[in-house]
Amino acid sequence: KNIFSSEKYGFLDLGSNIRVRNYETNKKTNIFANNFNWKSNKWLNSLGVENYFKGLIKTVNYEAENTSEYKNDKTNSEIKSALGYFAKLRLYKEDIINKNFYSLTPKFLLRYSPGHMREIKSGRLNYGNLFNLNKINKIDVIEPGLSTSIGFEYKKNKLSESNVIEDEILSLSIGQVISAKENMDIPASTSIDQKFSDVVGEAKYNINSKLNFSYNFSIDQGYKNFNYNEIAADYAFDKAKFNLGYLQEKNHIGAQEYLKTGVDFKLNNSSEISFNTKRNLLTSSAEFYNLSYNYINDCLKAGVAYRREFYADRDVEQTN
C-alpha cells in the first residue's frame, strides 16, 4: 500500500508478509514481516545521469518452536534496514535509415545495511535482483554490509515509420556485486558472501513475433567457468505454443542439469491442453510428465491435471 507520495520527499510504500509453517513433525515458525520501501524523487545532473536514493526498513515479529535457525523463546521482534544510492546514464542512438533504436545504460548502486543476519542455506544472485537493496529471497532477512552493484543494459528496438520505439529485438544485461568484506552468513549459492560476486547476466533475442530465445547465466569472479546456464526457446504457431528449456547448475550454486519441454494447444478462446516433461540429464531419467486441460475466462481458471512422477529411492516409489 502506498503511504504517501510527495514532490519533496518521494514515495513510501508498505508491504506485509505472513508466513506460517509446520514441518519435520514438530518444528513451527510463524513470521509477520513489514517492509517500508522509500524512494526519493529522481534528479538529473549536468551530465545527464539519473539519480535517486532508496531505503528499506523491515520489521519482523516471529514465534518459533524446536528450530535451530531461530530463537525459540516467546515472541521475538527485530528491525533491519538498508539505504542505497542509485545512478544510471542512458545513452542512445537512432538509425533512421534501417529503423533501429540502440540504447546502452550503465548502472550503479551503492548500498549499506547495518547489523547482521541469521545464517541461511539457499539463494541465488541474478540480474533481476542485482540492483535491489535486498538480494536475499527471505521475508525476514536483509544481507548486511557495504556493497556496490555495477552493470549495464544494452537494447536494440525497432522504430516505426514515425520513429516511435516499438518491439524489442535484442537485449543484453550484465553486472556484478563488489562488497567491502566477506560474509559467511550469506549463502555461498548467491556468491555475494565473497568480496567479488559472480558476474551475472541475461540475454533475449526476439527473432519475430513467433520465435524468441532467452539466456540467463552466471560466471565466476575469475571469468573462467560458467556456474549457471539457463537457456529457453519459445515458438508460437497458430493455436500451438512450443517451449524448450535447459538448465545447468554447478559448483557453489548447485548440482543439477535437466531439460524441460512443453506444448500448449488452444482448443478455442477459453480452453487449452498442455503437456510438459522434465528430464534429468545427470541420471539420464525422466522426472515427470504433466498433462492438463484448462478452462479460462476473464476471472476464472479451472483445470484438471494428470501427473506421472519418476522420483524413486528406497523409501519413495514411482507414483501416479
Side-chain angles (χ1 to χ4, degrees), residues 162-209:
S162 57
N163 297 326
V164 176
I165 300 174
E166 292 187 328
D167 297 335
E168 181 181 294
I169 301 173
L170 175 68
S171 68
L172 173 64
S173 305
I174 298 176
Q176 185 178 31
V177 177
I178 303 172
S179 302
K181 60 181 181 180
E182 297 179 351
N183 188 336
M184 295 299 105
D185 289 335
I186 301 175
S189 59
T190 66
S191 77
I192 57 176
D193 59 326
Q194 304 295 314
K195 287 187 176 180
F196 290 85
S197 75
D198 287 356
V199 177
V200 295
E202 60 183 27
K204 297 179 181 179
Y205 181 35
N206 299 312
I207 296 178
N208 51 47
S209 60

Side-chain angles (χ1 to χ4, degrees), residues 103-211:
S103 64
L104 177 66
T105 309
K107 294 184 175 182
F108 170 86
L109 172 67
L110 177 66
R111 69 173 293 280
Y112 175 71
S113 176
H116 59 87
M117 61 176 280
R118 67 177 176 87
E119 183 179 0
I120 57 179
K121 303 298 183 182
S122 63
R124 192 175 76 82
L125 178 69
N126 55 59
Y127 191 84
N129 61 21
L130 183 67
F131 295 98
N132 292 350
L133 285 181
N134 189 19
K135 301 172 182 62
I136 303 297
N137 188 27
K138 304 290 182 181
I139 69 171
D140 62 319
V141 298
I142 297 176
E143 77 269 16
L146 177 66
S147 65
T148 299
S149 299
I150 55 175
F152 71 87
E153 294 181 0
Y154 169 79
K155 292 184 179 181
K156 177 184 177 182
N157 294 71
K158 289 295 293 181
L159 287 175
S160 67
E161 291 299 324
S162 57
N163 297 326
V164 176
I165 300 174
E166 292 187 328
D167 297 335
E168 181 181 294
I169 301 173
L170 175 68
S171 68
L172 173 64
S173 305
I174 298 176
Q176 185 178 31
V177 177
I178 303 172
S179 302
K181 60 181 181 180
E182 297 179 351
N183 188 336
M184 295 299 105
D185 289 335
I186 301 175
S189 59
T190 66
S191 77
I192 57 176
D193 59 326
Q194 304 295 314
K195 287 187 176 180
F196 290 85
S197 75
D198 287 356
V199 177
V200 295
E202 60 183 27
K204 297 179 181 179
Y205 181 35
N206 299 312
I207 296 178
N208 51 47
S209 60
K210 295 182 178 180
L211 179 62

Side-chain angles (χ1 to χ4, degrees), residues 48-301:
V49 178
E50 180 181 300
N51 309 263
Y52 61 85
F53 291 99
K54 53 184 178 178
L56 170 63
I57 295 178
K58 181 187 289 288
T59 64
V60 180
N61 300 280
Y62 72 87
E63 296 176 346
E65 296 180 16
N66 305 312
T67 66
S68 58
E69 63 267 34
Y70 293 97
K71 299 175 183 178
N72 295 292
D73 52 336
K74 300 182 180 180
T75 300
N76 298 275
S77 298
E78 300 174 352
I79 297 179
K80 310 168 191 297
S81 61
L83 181 66
Y85 162 72
F86 179 82
K88 68 178 182 180
L89 175 62
R90 189 164 182 259
L91 309 170
Y92 66 89
K93 177 183 178 181
E94 292 184 350
D95 183 355
I96 304 299
I97 297 176
N98 297 309
K99 295 299 179 181
N100 290 322
F101 181 89
Y102 304 90
S103 64
L104 177 66
T105 309
K107 294 184 175 182
F108 170 86
L109 172 67
L110 177 66
R111 69 173 293 280
Y112 175 71
S113 176
H116 59 87
M117 61 176 280
R118 67 177 176 87
E119 183 179 0
I120 57 179
K121 303 298 183 182
S122 63
R124 192 175 76 82
L125 178 69
N126 55 59
Y127 191 84
N129 61 21
L130 183 67
F131 295 98
N132 292 350
L133 285 181
N134 189 19
K135 301 172 182 62
I136 303 297
N137 188 27
K138 304 290 182 181
I139 69 171
D140 62 319
V141 298
I142 297 176
E143 77 269 16
L146 177 66
S147 65
T148 299
S149 299
I150 55 175
F152 71 87
E153 294 181 0
Y154 169 79
K155 292 184 179 181
K156 177 184 177 182
N157 294 71
K158 289 295 293 181
L159 287 175
S160 67
E161 291 299 324
S162 57
N163 297 326
V164 176
I165 300 174
E166 292 187 328
D167 297 335
E168 181 181 294
I169 301 173
L170 175 68
S171 68
L172 173 64
S173 305
I174 298 176
Q176 185 178 31
V177 177
I178 303 172
S179 302
K181 60 181 181 180
E182 297 179 351
N183 188 336
M184 295 299 105
D185 289 335
I186 301 175
S189 59
T190 66
S191 77
I192 57 176
D193 59 326
Q194 304 295 314
K195 287 187 176 180
F196 290 85
S197 75
D198 287 356
V199 177
V200 295
E202 60 183 27
K204 297 179 181 179
Y205 181 35
N206 299 312
I207 296 178
N208 51 47
S209 60
K210 295 182 178 180
L211 179 62
N212 62 80
F213 294 91
S214 63
Y215 176 45
N216 297 321
F217 60 89
S218 176
I219 311 173
D220 65 22
Q221 56 182 271
Y223 311 112
K224 295 180 180 179
N225 299 310
F226 282 84
N227 296 321
Y228 182 89
N229 292 286
E230 184 181 11
I231 305 170
D234 293 291
Y235 178 69
F237 176 75
D238 197 15
K239 295 184 178 181
K241 183 177 180 180
F242 303 89
N243 58 79
L244 177 67
Y246 167 79
L247 183 139
Q248 180 189 51
E249 293 180 350
K250 298 190 300 182
N251 302 323
H252 56 269
I253 292 183
Q256 63 174 328
E257 185 176 6
Y258 62 76
L259 187 69
K260 295 177 68 176
T261 58
V263 58
D264 301 326
F265 184 78
K266 294 195 69 172
L267 301 175
N268 50 51
N269 291 333
S270 59
S271 301
E272 68 177 16
I273 293 178
S274 300
F275 174 79
N276 57 77
T277 181
K278 176 181 176 182
R279 183 172 183 82
N280 190 319
L281 299 180
L282 297 179
T283 60
S284 297
S285 61
E287 293 196 350
F288 66 74
Y289 294 112
N290 278 351
L291 177 64
S292 63
Y293 166 80
N294 295 309
Y295 170 80
I296 306 168
N297 61 26
D298 291 339
C299 61
L300 174 69
K301 178 177 180 179

